[in-house]
Amino acid sequence: MPRGRRERLRRRRALSESRAGLTRPERACSRNRELELYENQKCFLLFLSRFLAHSIVEHLKSQQKVRVAEAQRTERSVTPDMSSTQEGEHPLERAGAAPESLPGMETEAQASKSSLTNLSTEIEFSENLHEIKSWEDKSTANWHQMLRVSESQAFKARVLKAQAWEIQASEAHRRASQTRHTSVLEMDATQALKQKPLPEKVQATEKEKCEILFTRPCWSNKIEYILTQVGYSMKISSLWHFFILWLHNGGCSFLIIYILMLFLVGVPLLFLEMAAGQRIRQSSIGVWKVISAWIGGVGYTSFMVCFITGLYLNVINVWTLFYLSQSFQFPVPWEKCPLLENSSDFDPECARTTPSLYFWYRLTLKASDRIEDGGSPVFSLNLFLLVSWCLIGAFMINGLKSTGKIMLVLVPAPYFIILCFLFRSLLLEGAAFGFQHLMLVKISAMYNMNVWCQAGNQVLFALGLGLGPVVSLSSHMYPSTNCLSDALIVALVNLFTMLLVTSFSFCVLGFWATVITHRCSEKNAETLVKLVAMGKLPLEAQPPPNLTANPTSVFNSWLNSLPQPIKHMVFGYVTECNLEKQFLKVKEGPSFAFVAFIETMSFIPGSVFWSILFFLLLLILGLISMIGIMQGILIPFQNTFSSFRKSTKLLTVVVFGFMFLCDLFFTRPSGIYYIRLLSEYWIVLPIIITIILENMAVGWAYGARRFLEDLAIVWGSPASAIIRWLWCFLCPIVLVALFVITLIHLSLKSITYVAWDSSSSKEVLRQYPSWALLVMIALFLIVILPIPTYFVYCLAHRISFTSTSQGKPIISFKSLPLIQPKPSKEVHKEETL
C-alpha cells in the first residue's frame, strides 16, 4: 500500500475513533478487525485471479486446438493447388499469366499470416499469464493463516495441472507455428519470385517444404522393435564368451554374480540409452549434444567404435559361410586329413595335429606363423565376404519397415535350432559329465574381484551398450512407449538365450571330451601292444584286449592294477588321458566354435546334417546382430546429413562398399591376430568410457530427477525412484571400478595371442610386437579424441555443463512432433532408412 494512502487512512481512523469516544484498547481491537477483513479480501481477490487465469488458459487451449486444425486444413488446401500448378494443370500458366494473377493464393497467404499473428499474440499472452502466476506464487507465502488448508491444496492441484498443460501447449504452439511458417514461406516465395518462371518457383518451395516437414519414420509395431533390439544383443562373440566365463570362473557362482550385475547395472543403463533415444528422437551422435554439450563428443566416439566392431564381427560371418559351403560333403572335410596329390598318404602337417585344427588354420584362414607376416587377402574368403555384405545390404536396402519384417522371421529361427541341439545333446554319451560342470558351484569365486569385473564387462558387451545402436533404434519408437519394460524384456531374453546356448554347449563338449579321451586310451593300448611285441616291455604290460565298451574306464582300471615298477615303465610310453583336463582344454575365441564344436559334429551320427544346422545357427545370429550394428552406422549418417535422407539406398550401397574394402584387411593370413587384438584387448576401454560419460550426461548434467519427470509427462505415470538412485550413485561407482580394474589388469597382463606354428603343426603362444601395441594405443586415442575436443570447445566458449533448457522438458523438434500423425505414403518413400 502506498505511504500517503496509509497515512490518510490512519488520520481518518483516529478522527472517527475520537468522535466515537472509544478507549485505547477498543481502538486496537477495531484496528485488528479491519486488518483481518482486509487480509480476507486480499485472499479472496488472489484466489479469484487464480481462477480467472486458469479459465483463460483453458480457453486458450480450446482456441489453439481449433487454430491448429484450421492450419492443417489450410495446408491441405494450399498444397494440392501448388502441386497442380507444378504439373502444369493451372489454366493461367498455359496462358502465360503472371503469378500475381492468382488472387486465391494471395488471400490464403494473408489468412495464414493473420492466423500466425494471432497465434503469436496468444502465446505472448499465455507467457504473461505464466509470469503473473510466478509473481502470485511468491505472494502466497505471505497469505494470512486464516486461509483454509483445503483451499490451498485445491489451489496447488490446479497450479500443477495448469503447468503440466502449459508444457504440452507450448509444444503444440511450436508445432503449429512450424506448420504456419511453412505456409507463409510458400506464399512469400510466390510473391518474391513474381518475375521468374512458375516451374522454378514451385520446385524451390517444394524443396524448402521437404526440409521443414521432415517426419521421422517409426516402427510399424512394438514387436518388430523389440525383436531388432534382441537380435542386436545376440552377438556370437558374447555367447561363446559367456560360456567360457561360466566354465573358468566358478560355474553357477558366476551366474549369480552376472544376474546381480545385470539387474543393478545392465538394465538401468539399457533403459537410459533407450529413454534418451526415444525421448530426444535423434541418433547416437546428436542425442548427447542435446542433453549436455560438454559430453557431445561421446556420440562420435561410439560411432567410430561401432564402425570398427562391425568390421571384425562380419568376418565371423565370412568364416561361417565358408564352413557352410564345405558342409555339403560326406564325409565333412574336417573329419579326416586330406591326401597328398598323386599319393595315398595323408598330408604330414595334418597328421601331426587334428583334422579340425588343420582345416581351420591351413585351409580356411591360411594363417601365417606370426602377425608380422602379411600377405594378400585370401581369395576364397573375399568371395564370401562379398556375399555376407550383400546379404546384410539386401535386408536393409528398403529401410526400417522391411528390416522389421525380416526380424520377425530371423530372430525366432535360432531358438528352434538351439532347442534341437539341446534335445540332441542330452542323448549323447558324456552329456551327464558336461551337465555336472554346468551345475558346479565355487563359493570362492564370489570373493574374487576379477570374476566380478569380468561379469560386469560381459553385461555391457552382451547388451551392446556404448556402441550406439540401442540409441539409434529406439529413436524411431513413439515417445509414449514405456521403454523401462522394453529394457527389461530385452535383458531377460538375452539372458535366456545365453543360458540355452550354455546348457547345450556343456553337454556337447562333455561328449567331445569323452570321445577324445576314449580315442586317447585306444591309442595308448595300441602303442603298448606294439612295444610288448617288440620286446621293449614285459608281458605284464600287455593291455586287455576288449576296450570297445568303455575304453577309458577299462584302460585306467587295468593301469592302476599294475605293479609299481611296471607302471613306471608304462608311463614312459603313453600319454595321459584325463577326462577332466580334456574338458577344460576348451579355449576362448573363434576356435571354440570353429575347432571344438565342428570336431564334435563330426563325431555325431549324421554329421553333415548337424554341421549344416550348426552353421545356419551361427549365420543367422551373425546377420541379425550385424543388422543392428549397421543401423547404428546408417541412422547417424541420415540424421547428421539431411541430404542422405532422399538417397537412402545409395547411402547404404556406398557405406557397405566402403566397409567391404576395409574388411579385406582382416581376410589376410594375419587377419585373425588383429581381430583378437581388437576384441580381447582394445574394445573394452572405449566402451566403458563411453558408458560412464553417457551416465554422467543424464544423471548429473541434465539431472536424473528432471529426466524422469520429463518421461512421466509423456508416459502418464511416474518412473520408479530406484532408477534415479541407480543412475546417480550405484552405476557410476560400478563403472569407474570396472574401468580401473580393467586398466590395471591390462597393464599387468602380458599381451599375447595364439598363433599357428607350421613347422610343428601346433598352436603356440606368442607376444604381440611393440608396434602392434602402439597401433592399439593410437587407435584408442583417435576414437576418444572427440570427447576432449568438445570439452575444450565448450570450456572456451563458456557453455554451461548442464542442459540449456533449464526447467523445460527436453525434446527435439527437429525430428518429430510430440503427437505423431500417421505419415502418408509419399513421406514413407522419402524417409525410409
Side-chain angles (χ1 to χ4, degrees), residues 29 33 73 96 156 185 205 229-230 297 328 347-348 361 381 422 429 533 548 585 592 656 678 691 751 789:
C29 182
R33 285 196 300 269
R73 288 195 300 270
K156 291 179 181 179
L185 284 176
T205 55
Q229 291 280 14
V230 170
F328 295 93
D347 189 339
Y361 280 106
L381 294 181
L422 179 61
E429 182 185 4
T548 56
K585 283 183 179 180
F592 166 71
F656 280 39
L678 292 174
I691 298 173
I751 310 299
T789 301

PDB file of all heavy atoms in Angstrom, residues 29 33 73 96 156 185 205 229-230 297 328 347-348 361 381 422 429 533 548 585 592 656 678 691 751 789:
ATOM      1  N   CYS A  29      -8.622  -3.066  19.163  1.00  0.00           N
ATOM      2  CA  CYS A  29      -9.437  -4.196  18.721  1.00  0.00           C
ATOM      3  C   CYS A  29     -10.119  -3.895  17.396  1.00  0.00           C
ATOM      4  O   CYS A  29     -10.232  -4.745  16.518  1.00  0.00           O
ATOM      5  CB  CYS A  29     -10.484  -4.509  19.805  1.00  0.00           C
ATOM      6  SG  CYS A  29     -11.516  -5.939  19.400  1.00  0.00           S
ATOM      7  N   ARG A  33      -9.713  -5.906  13.749  1.00  0.00           N
ATOM      8  CA  ARG A  33     -10.804  -6.427  12.927  1.00  0.00           C
ATOM      9  C   ARG A  33     -10.725  -5.920  11.493  1.00  0.00           C
ATOM     10  O   ARG A  33     -10.988  -6.629  10.535  1.00  0.00           O
ATOM     11  CB  ARG A  33     -12.147  -6.042  13.558  1.00  0.00           C
ATOM     12  CG  ARG A  33     -12.502  -6.860  14.791  1.00  0.00           C
ATOM     13  CD  ARG A  33     -13.975  -6.706  15.134  1.00  0.00           C
ATOM     14  NE  ARG A  33     -14.329  -5.312  15.411  1.00  0.00           N
ATOM     15  CZ  ARG A  33     -14.298  -4.753  16.621  1.00  0.00           C
ATOM     16  NH1 ARG A  33     -13.930  -5.474  17.670  1.00  0.00           N
ATOM     17  NH2 ARG A  33     -14.635  -3.485  16.778  1.00  0.00           N
ATOM     18  N   ARG A  73      -5.990 -27.709 -42.250  1.00  0.00           N
ATOM     19  CA  ARG A  73      -6.900 -27.657 -43.401  1.00  0.00           C
ATOM     20  C   ARG A  73      -6.390 -26.686 -44.455  1.00  0.00           C
ATOM     21  O   ARG A  73      -6.471 -26.949 -45.656  1.00  0.00           O
ATOM     22  CB  ARG A  73      -8.299 -27.254 -42.923  1.00  0.00           C
ATOM     23  CG  ARG A  73      -9.025 -28.331 -42.147  1.00  0.00           C
ATOM     24  CD  ARG A  73     -10.501 -28.010 -42.027  1.00  0.00           C
ATOM     25  NE  ARG A  73     -10.754 -26.744 -41.336  1.00  0.00           N
ATOM     26  CZ  ARG A  73     -10.910 -26.635 -40.021  1.00  0.00           C
ATOM     27  NH1 ARG A  73     -10.840 -27.718 -39.266  1.00  0.00           N
ATOM     28  NH2 ARG A  73     -11.131 -25.463 -39.465  1.00  0.00           N
ATOM     29  N   GLY A  96       0.200 -18.199 -69.980  1.00  0.00           N
ATOM     30  CA  GLY A  96       1.339 -17.318 -69.713  1.00  0.00           C
ATOM     31  C   GLY A  96       1.048 -16.262 -68.692  1.00  0.00           C
ATOM     32  O   GLY A  96       1.663 -15.190 -68.714  1.00  0.00           O
ATOM     33  N   LYS A 156      -3.109 -25.605  -5.233  1.00  0.00           N
ATOM     34  CA  LYS A 156      -1.857 -26.201  -5.712  1.00  0.00           C
ATOM     35  C   LYS A 156      -2.120 -27.242  -6.790  1.00  0.00           C
ATOM     36  O   LYS A 156      -1.372 -27.365  -7.760  1.00  0.00           O
ATOM     37  CB  LYS A 156      -1.095 -26.833  -4.550  1.00  0.00           C
ATOM     38  CG  LYS A 156      -0.546 -25.815  -3.568  1.00  0.00           C
ATOM     39  CD  LYS A 156       0.180 -26.503  -2.419  1.00  0.00           C
ATOM     40  CE  LYS A 156       0.720 -25.479  -1.428  1.00  0.00           C
ATOM     41  NZ  LYS A 156       1.407 -26.130  -0.278  1.00  0.00           N
ATOM     42  N   LEU A 185       6.026 -19.249 -45.749  1.00  0.00           N
ATOM     43  CA  LEU A 185       7.201 -19.296 -46.605  1.00  0.00           C
ATOM     44  C   LEU A 185       6.811 -19.554 -48.049  1.00  0.00           C
ATOM     45  O   LEU A 185       7.381 -18.977 -48.984  1.00  0.00           O
ATOM     46  CB  LEU A 185       8.156 -20.379 -46.119  1.00  0.00           C
ATOM     47  CG  LEU A 185       8.979 -20.045 -44.876  1.00  0.00           C
ATOM     48  CD1 LEU A 185       9.797 -21.266 -44.474  1.00  0.00           C
ATOM     49  CD2 LEU A 185       9.874 -18.857 -45.111  1.00  0.00           C
ATOM     50  N   THR A 205      10.110 -24.036 -53.646  1.00  0.00           N
ATOM     51  CA  THR A 205       9.292 -24.130 -52.452  1.00  0.00           C
ATOM     52  C   THR A 205       9.060 -25.564 -52.027  1.00  0.00           C
ATOM     53  O   THR A 205       8.957 -25.860 -50.845  1.00  0.00           O
ATOM     54  CB  THR A 205       7.941 -23.440 -52.695  1.00  0.00           C
ATOM     55  OG1 THR A 205       7.347 -24.020 -53.857  1.00  0.00           O
ATOM     56  CG2 THR A 205       8.130 -21.953 -52.924  1.00  0.00           C
ATOM     57  N   GLN A 229      16.037 -55.131 -31.263  1.00  0.00           N
ATOM     58  CA  GLN A 229      16.939 -54.934 -30.119  1.00  0.00           C
ATOM     59  C   GLN A 229      17.478 -56.275 -29.605  1.00  0.00           C
ATOM     60  O   GLN A 229      18.662 -56.386 -29.272  1.00  0.00           O
ATOM     61  CB  GLN A 229      16.200 -54.209 -28.991  1.00  0.00           C
ATOM     62  CG  GLN A 229      15.854 -52.761 -29.268  1.00  0.00           C
ATOM     63  CD  GLN A 229      17.011 -51.802 -29.067  1.00  0.00           C
ATOM     64  OE1 GLN A 229      18.157 -52.211 -28.969  1.00  0.00           O
ATOM     65  NE2 GLN A 229      16.707 -50.523 -29.015  1.00  0.00           N
ATOM     66  N   VAL A 230      16.625 -57.286 -29.565  1.00  0.00           N
ATOM     67  CA  VAL A 230      17.072 -58.614 -29.121  1.00  0.00           C
ATOM     68  C   VAL A 230      18.081 -59.195 -30.105  1.00  0.00           C
ATOM     69  O   VAL A 230      19.110 -59.760 -29.713  1.00  0.00           O
ATOM     70  CB  VAL A 230      15.857 -59.551 -28.957  1.00  0.00           C
ATOM     71  CG1 VAL A 230      16.304 -60.988 -28.750  1.00  0.00           C
ATOM     72  CG2 VAL A 230      14.996 -59.104 -27.786  1.00  0.00           C
ATOM     73  N   GLY A 297      30.837 -35.090 -27.587  1.00  0.00           N
ATOM     74  CA  GLY A 297      31.772 -35.927 -28.342  1.00  0.00           C
ATOM     75  C   GLY A 297      31.583 -37.413 -28.139  1.00  0.00           C
ATOM     76  O   GLY A 297      32.163 -38.207 -28.895  1.00  0.00           O
ATOM     77  N   PHE A 328      28.432 -79.518 -47.282  1.00  0.00           N
ATOM     78  CA  PHE A 328      27.626 -80.366 -48.158  1.00  0.00           C
ATOM     79  C   PHE A 328      28.505 -81.454 -48.796  1.00  0.00           C
ATOM     80  O   PHE A 328      28.488 -81.651 -50.010  1.00  0.00           O
ATOM     81  CB  PHE A 328      26.962 -79.501 -49.234  1.00  0.00           C
ATOM     82  CG  PHE A 328      25.971 -78.512 -48.680  1.00  0.00           C
ATOM     83  CD1 PHE A 328      26.369 -77.223 -48.359  1.00  0.00           C
ATOM     84  CD2 PHE A 328      24.659 -78.872 -48.473  1.00  0.00           C
ATOM     85  CE1 PHE A 328      25.465 -76.309 -47.852  1.00  0.00           C
ATOM     86  CE2 PHE A 328      23.747 -77.962 -47.969  1.00  0.00           C
ATOM     87  CZ  PHE A 328      24.153 -76.676 -47.649  1.00  0.00           C
ATOM     88  N   ASP A 347      48.474 -85.745 -45.633  1.00  0.00           N
ATOM     89  CA  ASP A 347      49.339 -84.575 -45.514  1.00  0.00           C
ATOM     90  C   ASP A 347      50.090 -84.653 -44.183  1.00  0.00           C
ATOM     91  O   ASP A 347      49.477 -84.765 -43.122  1.00  0.00           O
ATOM     92  CB  ASP A 347      48.490 -83.301 -45.571  1.00  0.00           C
ATOM     93  CG  ASP A 347      49.327 -82.042 -45.667  1.00  0.00           C
ATOM     94  OD1 ASP A 347      50.507 -82.074 -45.298  1.00  0.00           O
ATOM     95  OD2 ASP A 347      48.778 -81.014 -46.110  1.00  0.00           O
ATOM     96  N   PRO A 348      51.439 -84.605 -44.209  1.00  0.00           N
ATOM     97  CA  PRO A 348      52.186 -84.761 -42.948  1.00  0.00           C
ATOM     98  C   PRO A 348      51.897 -83.664 -41.942  1.00  0.00           C
ATOM     99  O   PRO A 348      51.955 -83.898 -40.724  1.00  0.00           O
ATOM    100  CB  PRO A 348      53.652 -84.756 -43.402  1.00  0.00           C
ATOM    101  CG  PRO A 348      53.633 -84.103 -44.737  1.00  0.00           C
ATOM    102  CD  PRO A 348      52.324 -84.452 -45.356  1.00  0.00           C
ATOM    103  N   TYR A 361      43.192 -73.614 -39.553  1.00  0.00           N
ATOM    104  CA  TYR A 361      44.329 -72.717 -39.754  1.00  0.00           C
ATOM    105  C   TYR A 361      44.876 -72.753 -41.185  1.00  0.00           C
ATOM    106  O   TYR A 361      45.232 -71.707 -41.734  1.00  0.00           O
ATOM    107  CB  TYR A 361      45.454 -73.068 -38.772  1.00  0.00           C
ATOM    108  CG  TYR A 361      45.234 -72.521 -37.380  1.00  0.00           C
ATOM    109  CD1 TYR A 361      44.869 -73.352 -36.328  1.00  0.00           C
ATOM    110  CD2 TYR A 361      45.381 -71.169 -37.117  1.00  0.00           C
ATOM    111  CE1 TYR A 361      44.669 -72.850 -35.051  1.00  0.00           C
ATOM    112  CE2 TYR A 361      45.179 -70.655 -35.847  1.00  0.00           C
ATOM    113  CZ  TYR A 361      44.821 -71.504 -34.826  1.00  0.00           C
ATOM    114  OH  TYR A 361      44.625 -70.994 -33.568  1.00  0.00           O
ATOM    115  N   LEU A 381      38.090 -66.380 -49.042  1.00  0.00           N
ATOM    116  CA  LEU A 381      37.359 -65.617 -48.035  1.00  0.00           C
ATOM    117  C   LEU A 381      36.799 -64.328 -48.617  1.00  0.00           C
ATOM    118  O   LEU A 381      35.739 -63.851 -48.167  1.00  0.00           O
ATOM    119  CB  LEU A 381      38.273 -65.309 -46.848  1.00  0.00           C
ATOM    120  CG  LEU A 381      38.741 -66.507 -46.017  1.00  0.00           C
ATOM    121  CD1 LEU A 381      39.613 -66.039 -44.859  1.00  0.00           C
ATOM    122  CD2 LEU A 381      37.556 -67.307 -45.496  1.00  0.00           C
ATOM    123  N   LEU A 422      19.780 -78.777 -28.095  1.00  0.00           N
ATOM    124  CA  LEU A 422      19.676 -79.094 -26.672  1.00  0.00           C
ATOM    125  C   LEU A 422      19.104 -80.493 -26.471  1.00  0.00           C
ATOM    126  O   LEU A 422      19.645 -81.284 -25.672  1.00  0.00           O
ATOM    127  CB  LEU A 422      18.802 -78.042 -25.980  1.00  0.00           C
ATOM    128  CG  LEU A 422      18.573 -78.230 -24.480  1.00  0.00           C
ATOM    129  CD1 LEU A 422      19.897 -78.175 -23.726  1.00  0.00           C
ATOM    130  CD2 LEU A 422      17.618 -77.170 -23.942  1.00  0.00           C
ATOM    131  N   GLU A 429      26.638 -89.487 -25.338  1.00  0.00           N
ATOM    132  CA  GLU A 429      27.491 -90.037 -24.285  1.00  0.00           C
ATOM    133  C   GLU A 429      28.372 -88.923 -23.723  1.00  0.00           C
ATOM    134  O   GLU A 429      28.988 -88.157 -24.468  1.00  0.00           O
ATOM    135  CB  GLU A 429      28.364 -91.157 -24.856  1.00  0.00           C
ATOM    136  CG  GLU A 429      29.256 -91.815 -23.823  1.00  0.00           C
ATOM    137  CD  GLU A 429      30.194 -92.845 -24.443  1.00  0.00           C
ATOM    138  OE1 GLU A 429      30.171 -92.968 -25.693  1.00  0.00           O
ATOM    139  OE2 GLU A 429      30.937 -93.505 -23.697  1.00  0.00           O
ATOM    140  N   ALA A 533      55.203-106.515 -28.251  1.00  0.00           N
ATOM    141  CA  ALA A 533      55.598-107.401 -29.362  1.00  0.00           C
ATOM    142  C   ALA A 533      57.057-107.202 -29.744  1.00  0.00           C
ATOM    143  O   ALA A 533      57.739-108.151 -30.151  1.00  0.00           O
ATOM    144  CB  ALA A 533      54.699-107.146 -30.552  1.00  0.00           C
ATOM    145  N   THR A 548      36.240-101.931 -26.189  1.00  0.00           N
ATOM    146  CA  THR A 548      35.192-101.307 -27.004  1.00  0.00           C
ATOM    147  C   THR A 548      34.074-100.702 -26.162  1.00  0.00           C
ATOM    148  O   THR A 548      33.471 -99.707 -26.562  1.00  0.00           O
ATOM    149  CB  THR A 548      34.598-102.345 -27.961  1.00  0.00           C
ATOM    150  OG1 THR A 548      34.124-103.470 -27.195  1.00  0.00           O
ATOM    151  CG2 THR A 548      35.652-102.813 -28.957  1.00  0.00           C
ATOM    152  N   LYS A 585      40.255 -78.003 -21.671  1.00  0.00           N
ATOM    153  CA  LYS A 585      41.147 -77.513 -22.718  1.00  0.00           C
ATOM    154  C   LYS A 585      40.454 -76.585 -23.706  1.00  0.00           C
ATOM    155  O   LYS A 585      41.097 -76.049 -24.605  1.00  0.00           O
ATOM    156  CB  LYS A 585      41.748 -78.699 -23.489  1.00  0.00           C
ATOM    157  CG  LYS A 585      42.868 -79.418 -22.760  1.00  0.00           C
ATOM    158  CD  LYS A 585      43.445 -80.522 -23.630  1.00  0.00           C
ATOM    159  CE  LYS A 585      44.585 -81.241 -22.907  1.00  0.00           C
ATOM    160  NZ  LYS A 585      45.155 -82.319 -23.753  1.00  0.00           N
ATOM    161  N   PHE A 592      36.816 -71.828 -30.466  1.00  0.00           N
ATOM    162  CA  PHE A 592      35.818 -72.550 -29.676  1.00  0.00           C
ATOM    163  C   PHE A 592      34.705 -73.088 -30.581  1.00  0.00           C
ATOM    164  O   PHE A 592      34.284 -74.240 -30.459  1.00  0.00           O
ATOM    165  CB  PHE A 592      35.237 -71.626 -28.609  1.00  0.00           C
ATOM    166  CG  PHE A 592      33.983 -72.140 -27.952  1.00  0.00           C
ATOM    167  CD1 PHE A 592      34.033 -73.208 -27.081  1.00  0.00           C
ATOM    168  CD2 PHE A 592      32.753 -71.560 -28.211  1.00  0.00           C
ATOM    169  CE1 PHE A 592      32.883 -73.690 -26.482  1.00  0.00           C
ATOM    170  CE2 PHE A 592      31.605 -72.022 -27.618  1.00  0.00           C
ATOM    171  CZ  PHE A 592      31.673 -73.092 -26.746  1.00  0.00           C
ATOM    172  N   PHE A 656      28.265 -49.774 -47.360  1.00  0.00           N
ATOM    173  CA  PHE A 656      28.586 -51.194 -47.380  1.00  0.00           C
ATOM    174  C   PHE A 656      29.785 -51.473 -48.280  1.00  0.00           C
ATOM    175  O   PHE A 656      30.611 -52.329 -47.976  1.00  0.00           O
ATOM    176  CB  PHE A 656      27.375 -52.007 -47.843  1.00  0.00           C
ATOM    177  CG  PHE A 656      26.357 -52.239 -46.756  1.00  0.00           C
ATOM    178  CD1 PHE A 656      26.054 -51.246 -45.848  1.00  0.00           C
ATOM    179  CD2 PHE A 656      25.702 -53.440 -46.642  1.00  0.00           C
ATOM    180  CE1 PHE A 656      25.124 -51.441 -44.856  1.00  0.00           C
ATOM    181  CE2 PHE A 656      24.763 -53.659 -45.641  1.00  0.00           C
ATOM    182  CZ  PHE A 656      24.472 -52.638 -44.754  1.00  0.00           C
ATOM    183  N   LEU A 678      41.893 -56.639 -31.236  1.00  0.00           N
ATOM    184  CA  LEU A 678      40.806 -55.683 -31.056  1.00  0.00           C
ATOM    185  C   LEU A 678      39.738 -56.201 -30.101  1.00  0.00           C
ATOM    186  O   LEU A 678      39.273 -55.471 -29.217  1.00  0.00           O
ATOM    187  CB  LEU A 678      40.166 -55.369 -32.415  1.00  0.00           C
ATOM    188  CG  LEU A 678      41.017 -54.589 -33.419  1.00  0.00           C
ATOM    189  CD1 LEU A 678      40.309 -54.487 -34.751  1.00  0.00           C
ATOM    190  CD2 LEU A 678      41.350 -53.209 -32.903  1.00  0.00           C
ATOM    191  N   ILE A 691      30.183 -45.340 -21.804  1.00  0.00           N
ATOM    192  CA  ILE A 691      29.026 -45.554 -20.927  1.00  0.00           C
ATOM    193  C   ILE A 691      29.112 -44.672 -19.682  1.00  0.00           C
ATOM    194  O   ILE A 691      28.094 -44.155 -19.201  1.00  0.00           O
ATOM    195  CB  ILE A 691      28.939 -47.046 -20.543  1.00  0.00           C
ATOM    196  CG1 ILE A 691      28.734 -47.899 -21.792  1.00  0.00           C
ATOM    197  CG2 ILE A 691      27.796 -47.282 -19.577  1.00  0.00           C
ATOM    198  CD1 ILE A 691      28.795 -49.388 -21.530  1.00  0.00           C
ATOM    199  N   ILE A 751      50.407 -59.089 -23.171  1.00  0.00           N
ATOM    200  CA  ILE A 751      49.541 -59.040 -24.350  1.00  0.00           C
ATOM    201  C   ILE A 751      50.021 -60.112 -25.333  1.00  0.00           C
ATOM    202  O   ILE A 751      51.014 -59.930 -26.051  1.00  0.00           O
ATOM    203  CB  ILE A 751      49.561 -57.648 -25.000  1.00  0.00           C
ATOM    204  CG1 ILE A 751      49.311 -56.573 -23.951  1.00  0.00           C
ATOM    205  CG2 ILE A 751      48.544 -57.565 -26.111  1.00  0.00           C
ATOM    206  CD1 ILE A 751      47.980 -56.672 -23.261  1.00  0.00           C
ATOM    207  N   THR A 789      37.870 -32.887 -27.255  1.00  0.00           N
ATOM    208  CA  THR A 789      37.710 -31.771 -28.187  1.00  0.00           C
ATOM    209  C   THR A 789      36.438 -30.987 -27.873  1.00  0.00           C
ATOM    210  O   THR A 789      36.454 -29.744 -27.803  1.00  0.00           O
ATOM    211  CB  THR A 789      37.660 -32.294 -29.627  1.00  0.00           C
ATOM    212  OG1 THR A 789      38.871 -33.003 -29.916  1.00  0.00           O
ATOM    213  CG2 THR A 789      37.506 -31.145 -30.608  1.00  0.00           C
TER     214      THR A 789
END
